[in-house]
Amino acid sequence: MSKAKNVHEITLKVEGNEWEQEIEKAFKKVSQKIKVDGFRPGKAPRAMVEKKYGKEALYMDAVDNIVQERYTKVILDSKLEPVVQPKVDIKSVSEKGVELVFTITTRPEVNIKKYKDLGIKKEEVKVTKKEAEEKVIELQKQYAEIVIKEGKVENGDTAVIDFEGFNDGVAFEGGKGANYPLEIGSHTFIPGFEEQLVGMNKDEEKDINVTFPKDYPSEELKGKEVVFKVKVREIKTKTLPELNEEFFLDLGMEDVKTKDELIEKMKEEIKAEKEYQAENKYVDALLDEIIKNTEVDLPEEFIENEVHRMLHQFEDNIKMQGLTLEQYCEFIKTDIRSIEEQMKPEAIKRVKSRLILEEIAGLEKIEITNEEAEHEAEHMATHYQMTKEELLKAFGGLEMIKYDLQMRKTLELIQGK
């Protein structure tokens, strides 16, 4: 695979007397640490130190010293501005000298053919009264009181059951439970189980026949027809709260006094959520279209860095659910390399989008003053209930605030705002 135009290789050779001096420096340093019988530290002849320590190890110490001492100078002398950490590779090393290759990746050239008047329209947002009414019912369900009921099990009820499963007449492991609360319609049990509880009475016993899914994790049970012996201990149902001022206060909506006002409030919330989703969808469509009209030679390091960033974010998210990345991989039968491969297309899109926005900001001369950034930092600190200093530390400093504002203004420009 050919190198991208913005990937530069700089060769550094250290040979002859200069290389010998570097080896001598490495020898003096290691001779202070290594023990040679009959000699005090630092007094053993070089030949004996080399024999015990190894010539190649001494060469590598010399290489490490060269890289530490000349790394910054090589980068500065190149007059290149690296956008990722430059890499150093050893092309060759021997008693005659060493040849090092510094790989410096600079910002790639971004050629955008079109980023205005793209002919993409934002989706129009509509909210019906029915949607708002369904939202109100959802709220009522969240605050519903669960009470014991008389009569038969119905959809939506919670049946408290004892159960035991049998495969060919033999009880199987993990198939037994007592006083288990099962909400009918939650689909948390094997398909067909909950439906057969409907119509049962308290203290009634019944054999329920079901078939385990073919992709069920247990080899013993996948695709098997089994029988569960079930007894209903208790039937509970949800009593929805009345739509009155007490309920509105529980919701923290002091300004709502009637059902109609609550419905209007829900319409506003649904509309705001739909507007947010429509805005994100619109921006994604715009960026996708600009990406189609852009030529950019992406360095592999850019993509790798973005994949690693995404993986760390993903790892943080699953940690909040009490899982390590290794446990997650084991659970879904995959590995980290496969997850990274799945993330790669999104990583490429993110990197291209970022480079495109930076390029447009430069073309349109979109700049952010320190005053604007300071004002934004104060606003954000108030929003997140932090001090300005804490906010800046968490966000990465004022320059990151400026960059974030610049990107937001650039997005507004391509949206025609």
Side-chain angles (χ1 to χ4, degrees):
M1 189 171 68
S2 60
K3 291 196 301 293
K5 293 178 183 177
N6 57 308
V7 178
H8 312 270
E9 289 186 351
I10 297 171
T11 300
L12 172 67
K13 290 183 179 180
V14 180
E15 301 170 314
N17 288 334
E18 189 182 9
W19 174 236
E20 179 56 37
Q21 288 170 15
E22 292 294 343
I23 296 174
E24 185 65 23
K25 278 198 300 188
F27 156 68
K28 286 179 179 177
K29 191 173 180 180
V30 79
S31 67
Q32 296 292 330
K33 300 175 184 177
I34 199 166
K35 289 183 179 180
V36 179
D37 292 341
F39 295 92
R40 285 182 288 125
K43 298 299 181 181
R46 180 166 148 184
M48 294 184 73
V49 172
E50 283 182 355
K51 187 176 180 182
K52 185 164 186 177
Y53 189 63
K55 265 189 178 183
E56 289 75 15
L58 204 59
Y59 293 162
M60 294 311 298
D61 286 352
V63 170
D64 287 344
N65 289 335
I66 291 168
V67 171
Q68 286 178 26
E69 290 172 2
R70 309 193 192 189
Y71 182 87
T72 304
K73 187 176 185 304
V74 169
I75 308 302
L76 290 173
D77 288 350
S78 73
K79 293 183 169 51
L80 298 170
E81 293 185 21
V83 287
V84 294
Q85 187 75 23
K87 293 195 299 184
V88 185
D89 294 304
I90 301 170
K91 190 170 183 182
S92 64
V93 61
S94 68
E95 60 184 11
K96 294 180 180 179
V98 63
E99 185 174 345
L100 301 173
V101 177
F102 290 72
T103 303
I104 302 174
T105 303
T106 57
R107 190 178 188 279
E109 184 179 334
V110 182
N111 180 18
I112 307 173
K113 296 172 184 175
K114 188 177 183 181
Y115 61 88
K116 291 181 180 178
D117 303 321
L118 297 169
I120 295 171
K121 291 185 178 180
K122 185 177 171 182
E123 185 181 302
E124 190 179 341
V125 169
K126 291 179 181 178
V127 182
T128 65
K129 186 178 179 181
K130 185 182 176 183
E131 287 176 291
E133 287 172 339
E134 287 172 352
K135 183 78 171 176
V136 168
I137 292 171
E138 282 179 28
L139 283 174
Q140 286 179 287
K141 285 180 178 177
Q142 288 174 27
Y143 286 81
E145 184 183 356
I146 298 177
V147 295
I148 294 170
K149 69 170 269 190
E150 299 297 328
K152 299 179 184 295
V153 175
E154 296 178 292
N155 198 41
D157 288 344
T158 295
V160 180
I161 60 172
D162 294 342
F163 62 90
E164 186 169 16
F166 295 86
N167 178 14
D168 293 331
V170 180
F172 55 84
E173 190 178 347
K176 188 175 183 178
N179 291 313
Y180 186 91
L182 176 60
E183 184 180 339
I184 310 304
S186 62
H187 306 298
T188 52
F189 263 39
I190 305 156
F193 186 98
E194 294 170 27
E195 291 83 348
Q196 294 181 62
L197 289 173
V198 173
M200 289 182 70
N201 291 297
K202 181 185 174 183
D203 294 326
E204 185 179 343
E205 296 182 16
K206 183 178 181 180
D207 285 355
I208 288 179
N209 297 282
V210 290
T211 303
F212 275 93
K214 290 182 179 178
D215 59 353
Y216 194 72
S218 169
E219 287 294 329
E220 179 192 354
L221 296 173
K222 60 166 57 174
K224 286 277 188 178
E225 292 182 8
V226 298
V227 177
F228 280 92
K229 293 187 177 297
V230 177
K231 180 176 182 178
V232 176
R233 289 284 185 185
E234 207 168 43
I235 305 169
K236 296 180 179 180
T237 191
K238 290 179 180 177
T239 302
L240 300 183
E242 290 184 31
L243 296 175
N244 53 28
E245 286 195 41
E246 184 182 347
F247 178 60
F248 304 146
L249 286 172
D250 286 341
L251 295 174
M253 298 180 182
E254 292 85 357
D255 55 332
V256 174
K257 304 297 179 186
T258 67
K259 177 183 175 180
D260 287 341
E261 287 179 3
L262 180 60
I263 289 171
E264 284 304 311
K265 189 89 168 176
M266 291 304 100
K267 282 180 79 171
E268 290 170 16
E269 288 188 8
I270 295 168
K271 186 178 181 183
E273 178 61 27
K274 283 190 173 184
E275 287 281 5
Y276 176 76
Q277 292 171 355
E279 185 78 8
N280 286 341
K281 191 176 176 182
Y282 177 52
V283 169
D284 276 349
L286 287 170
L287 287 171
D288 284 342
E289 189 62 27
I290 298 171
I291 287 170
K292 287 178 192 173
N293 289 289
T294 299
E295 293 174 357
V296 56
D297 197 358
L298 276 189
E300 195 60 35
E301 290 88 348
F302 271 40
I303 302 165
E304 288 173 4
N305 286 351
E306 188 61 32
V307 167
H308 290 153
R309 189 178 295 114
M310 289 170 67
L311 187 66
H312 286 313
Q313 288 174 347
F314 179 71
E315 189 173 8
D316 288 341
N317 289 338
I318 62 171
K319 275 181 182 176
M320 292 173 69
Q321 300 170 37
L323 286 174
T324 65
L325 188 56
E326 290 73 21
Q327 287 170 333
Y328 174 83
C329 288
E330 188 177 342
F331 184 70
I332 67 163
K333 304 288 189 291
T334 189
D335 54 40
I336 293 172
R337 181 65 65 98
S338 298
I339 293 174
E340 287 178 334
E341 280 302 311
Q342 289 170 16
M343 289 177 168
K344 203 169 182 180
E346 177 61 22
I348 291 170
K349 181 181 174 180
R350 287 188 186 187
V351 172
K352 283 185 176 180
S353 297
R354 189 159 60 240
L355 289 169
I356 283 167
L357 291 174
E358 289 170 356
E359 184 69 15
I360 294 171
L363 292 169
E364 296 287 341
K365 296 181 171 54
I366 297 172
E367 295 178 356
I368 307 298
T369 64
N370 284 341
E371 289 75 20
E372 286 176 297
E374 293 279 2
H375 178 74
E376 178 65 13
E378 287 166 8
H379 172 73
M380 290 174 69
T382 302
H383 178 76
Y384 291 111
Q385 298 180 331
M386 304 166 72
T387 65
K388 183 179 167 186
E389 290 71 26
E390 288 170 338
L391 184 281
L392 287 172
K393 187 177 179 181
F395 213 78
L398 196 65
E399 285 304 310
M400 285 305 297
I401 300 279
K402 289 174 77 171
Y403 178 81
D404 188 58
L405 271 175
Q406 185 188 44
M407 294 300 98
R408 275 153 53 188
K409 283 195 174 184
T410 307
L411 274 174
E412 288 172 2
L413 180 136
I414 65 172
Q415 291 175 77
K417 290 184 178 179

